[in-house]
Amino acid sequence: MYNRLKDSFGDERVALLHGKALYFLYKEFTKSGEDYFDAVNKAKTKYDLSKKIFKPYKVLTPFQILKYFFGVTGFEQHIGEMTGGLFIVDEVHSYDPHTTALILESLKYLKEEYKAEIFIMSATLPEFLKKLFIEELNIKALIEPKKEELKKIVRHKVLVTEGDVFSNIDKIIKDIKESKKVLVVCNTVDRAQKVYNELKDYTSKSALLHSRFILKDRERIEKSLDKVQLLVGTQAIEVSLDIDFDVLYTEPAPIDALIQRFGRVNRRGVKGISPVYIFSQGSCEDKFVYKNQKVVSKTLELLSKCDTLSEDLIQNLVNEVYKDGYIDKDYEEFLKAKDSFRNVISQLYPFIENKYLKEEFYELFDNREVVPYMFEEEYINKIKNKEYFEAAGYVVGISQGRYVALKKQGLIEDKGYDVDFVYCKYDKDLGLLIDKPYDNVFTT
């Protein structure tokens, strides 16, 4: 999005702010032949300017807005800068109840106290969320496409298929052998790695994409996707990638997640009607990914009654799946987060840092950054040479729960750097192999 907007409005008017923005800017400068330190200096300069008031267009994630309400350093300037701002929030449905509540309350606060204007966008916004945002933010204008136009857009034939991905592996192989561009989406990294190992030898143009690759490899893989015939992935393929496949095989997921996956097949609608297969069974680990399995079951029930899926049916399906809104623990979490935000605001004072608020903000992220053991020497050498951005290329993210489990097994070591080292094997095409630890080499 940053690249698109700077092409339209000019580089000097568009800023980029998110967790990996500085690394991204550094890589952009290396593409033009800059040496390391020149690229670093230019990236830092551009990123510093991105934080200044005079960049009128900013591309960022909702967390970059939220963090200043939690008292992260420099919050005074950044909240002040939001005065009178125009906020466009895309795909707001994709967050969990806790984060959705925080986003909603922050936008409400900006509108009421800082005269901001809010524009909410989504192709699959459940009716209950739409009503919630309209009421809470006092939104007067509602822009919707005409149903007659949506009915004309038919890109996918939905087929709910009995069994799981492995019991249907022959169907996938058949499509690969017929030279179709095949997309397979799994709900967990472990599952995706196993499926990829089953399929990779049937084509020379295959790739696996998930969150457990070091940055260097993830960049390499994403750059190659336009040449790939078989792509196996996780939720990582649901956003930001401009890819277009002929057929989809996917594990069961909530309707909104599946719609995003469908959108990676026959993307521009020029292939007639393309098949999307949803397996009736996933893995036992799915309950940790999608905690509300009732939503997944309801999704499968409704999709099993579909044939061709026109765009006007999508919203009806989303509304039906989420007709009860947040219930049980989800609703409790939503209300708790709303109250929490009000409490956070009451503790926010200019020029006074509250370390407890900052800690609460960073707890929103279920992620720990580690470096695979095989890159330890390269990482440390880059740090010693002060090539910090090159060192960042060896970092991979794992969940907090996974980090704790590995630490209990003696497979995480803290050597005094910003990230710890993980003693699991790593493959450039498969990523971090959690289930293949090295022998414990640093404890007795």
Side-chain angles (χ1 to χ4, degrees):
M1 185 58 69
Y2 165 76
N3 279 332
R4 290 179 186 180
L5 290 179
K6 73 183 179 68
D7 288 343
S8 298
F9 299 118
D11 192 27
E12 72 285 352
R13 297 173 65 81
V14 184
L16 178 68
L17 295 173
H18 64 76
K20 293 289 189 294
L22 196 50
Y23 179 80
F24 169 81
L25 293 171
Y26 158 71
K27 296 299 287 186
E28 287 295 296
F29 281 114
T30 60
K31 288 177 184 176
S32 59
E34 304 281 354
D35 68 25
Y36 175 78
F37 290 104
D38 283 344
V40 167
N41 289 332
K42 288 186 177 182
K44 284 184 175 179
T45 299
K46 177 170 278 195
Y47 188 67
D48 287 341
L49 290 176
S50 296
K51 295 180 178 180
K52 306 300 182 184
I53 281 177
F54 57 79
K55 288 265 187 172
Y57 303 106
K58 296 197 175 185
V59 182
L60 66 165
T61 64
F63 293 103
Q64 295 297 314
I65 299 172
L66 284 174
K67 73 178 184 180
Y68 297 119
F69 290 112
F70 282 82
V72 173
T73 303
F75 72 89
E76 302 91 345
Q77 171 197 332
H78 292 286
I79 292 179
E81 179 184 342
M82 295 179 195
T83 302
L86 308 177
F87 291 80
I88 301 172
V89 186
D90 193 16
E91 304 294 6
V92 73
H93 69 277
S94 59
Y95 299 94
D96 60 57
H98 183 270
T99 306
T100 299
L102 294 178
I103 293 171
L104 177 60
E105 287 297 312
S106 64
L107 293 177
K108 185 176 179 181
Y109 186 78
L110 286 169
K111 183 168 185 177
E112 293 175 351
E113 302 296 333
Y114 288 84
K115 309 302 180 187
E117 295 290 340
I118 314 297
F119 187 82
I120 306 292
M121 294 173 57
S122 174
T124 54
L125 187 64
E127 187 68 22
F128 87 96
L129 271 183
K130 182 171 75 173
K131 288 180 178 178
L132 185 64
F133 275 86
I134 286 174
E135 291 170 4
E136 293 280 344
L137 299 177
N138 193 27
I139 294 174
K140 303 295 185 185
L142 183 62
I143 304 170
E144 295 180 303
K146 294 179 179 178
K147 286 195 174 184
E148 293 74 20
E149 293 300 317
L150 291 177
K151 285 180 181 179
K152 297 176 184 177
I153 305 172
V154 184
R155 295 181 294 160
H156 305 118
K157 180 180 178 64
V158 177
L159 300 110
V160 175
T161 303
E162 286 300 315
D164 66 2
V165 59
F166 293 107
S167 62
N168 287 279
I169 207 81
D170 288 344
K171 294 179 183 177
I172 304 175
I173 293 170
K174 182 175 179 290
D175 277 344
I176 296 171
K177 287 182 175 179
E178 291 177 358
S179 299
K180 294 177 184 176
K181 288 190 68 177
V182 179
L183 175 62
V184 183
V185 185
C186 301
N187 294 331
T188 66
V189 175
D190 295 342
R191 191 81 154 181
Q193 288 172 331
K194 291 172 184 174
V195 170
Y196 181 71
N197 275 330
E198 290 277 336
L199 297 173
K200 64 181 181 180
D201 293 333
Y202 290 95
T203 172
S204 60
K205 299 177 180 178
S206 62
L208 174 66
L209 183 63
H210 54 68
S211 61
R212 279 196 222 142
F213 283 102
I214 62 171
L215 279 173
K216 284 177 177 287
D217 284 336
R218 180 149 180 173
E219 289 173 332
R220 170 182 59 81
I221 293 166
E222 289 186 358
K223 287 177 183 176
S224 71
L225 292 183
D226 60 335
K227 302 172 185 175
V228 164
Q229 183 201 349
L230 166 69
L231 175 60
V232 180
T234 60
Q235 292 88 336
I237 65 93
E238 291 178 14
V239 294
S240 302
L241 297 178
D242 186 12
I243 54 178
D244 190 4
F245 285 77
D246 299 330
V247 58
L248 167 71
Y249 291 91
T250 174
E251 292 194 305
I255 183 67
D256 42 328
L258 289 181
I259 295 300
Q260 293 294 328
R261 298 176 190 185
F262 294 173
R264 276 34 186 167
V265 172
N266 195 8
R267 189 167 176 79
R268 293 165 183 83
V270 296
K271 300 178 180 181
I273 298 177
S274 298
V276 292
Y277 296 90
I278 306 103
F279 302 121
S280 63
Q281 299 171 21
S283 73
C284 58
E285 300 296 314
D286 285 4
K287 61 180 179 290
F288 300 112
V289 180
Y290 301 114
K291 295 184 172 99
N292 190 342
Q293 283 293 303
K294 291 180 182 177
V295 168
V296 178
S297 298
K298 186 66 174 177
T299 297
L300 287 176
E301 177 191 333
L302 293 174
L303 287 178
S304 65
K305 301 172 184 175
C306 288
D307 183 24
T308 53
L309 187 63
S310 60
E311 293 291 317
D312 67 308
L313 291 178
I314 290 175
Q315 189 61 56
N316 293 337
L317 290 169
V318 171
N319 290 340
E320 183 63 23
V321 169
Y322 290 104
K323 68 179 181 180
D324 295 325
Y326 292 137
I327 57 174
D328 302 331
K329 289 183 179 180
D330 284 349
Y331 186 61
E332 291 174 15
E333 190 67 22
F334 180 78
L335 292 179
K336 183 180 177 181
K338 282 171 68 74
D339 290 339
S340 172
F341 184 86
R342 298 185 190 111
N343 182 53
V344 164
I345 290 294
S346 70
Q347 299 180 58
L348 202 58
Y349 297 99
F351 311 112
I352 299 176
E353 286 199 11
N354 187 325
K355 68 174 184 178
Y356 299 108
L357 289 184
K358 290 168 69 175
E359 288 171 2
E360 189 175 340
F361 170 73
Y362 287 112
E363 284 175 2
L364 292 173
F365 300 93
D366 180 27
N367 187 64
R368 291 294 294 262
E369 292 188 332
V370 294
V371 173
Y373 173 58
M374 69 178 291
F375 300 117
E376 180 178 12
E377 185 177 346
E378 290 98 322
Y379 178 84
I380 291 175
N381 285 338
K382 295 295 183 185
I383 293 296
K384 286 180 177 178
N385 292 331
K386 298 183 178 180
E387 297 178 37
Y388 304 114
F389 289 94
E390 286 297 315
Y394 297 105
V395 169
V396 62
I398 59 176
S399 71
Q400 177 67 19
R402 186 74 72 175
Y403 175 89
V404 171
L406 290 170
K407 195 164 189 178
K408 286 180 179 178
Q409 297 172 54
L411 297 172
I412 296 284
E413 184 179 18
D414 180 356
K415 288 195 170 185
Y417 294 91
D418 288 341
V419 298
D420 296 338
F421 296 93
V422 58
Y423 286 77
C424 293
K425 293 183 179 180
Y426 183 90
D427 182 281
K428 66 182 180 65
D429 296 320
L430 295 173
L432 188 66
L433 302 169
I434 295 292
D435 60 343
K436 293 186 178 180
Y438 285 103
D439 291 335
N440 193 328
V441 295
F442 60 88
T443 61
T444 57

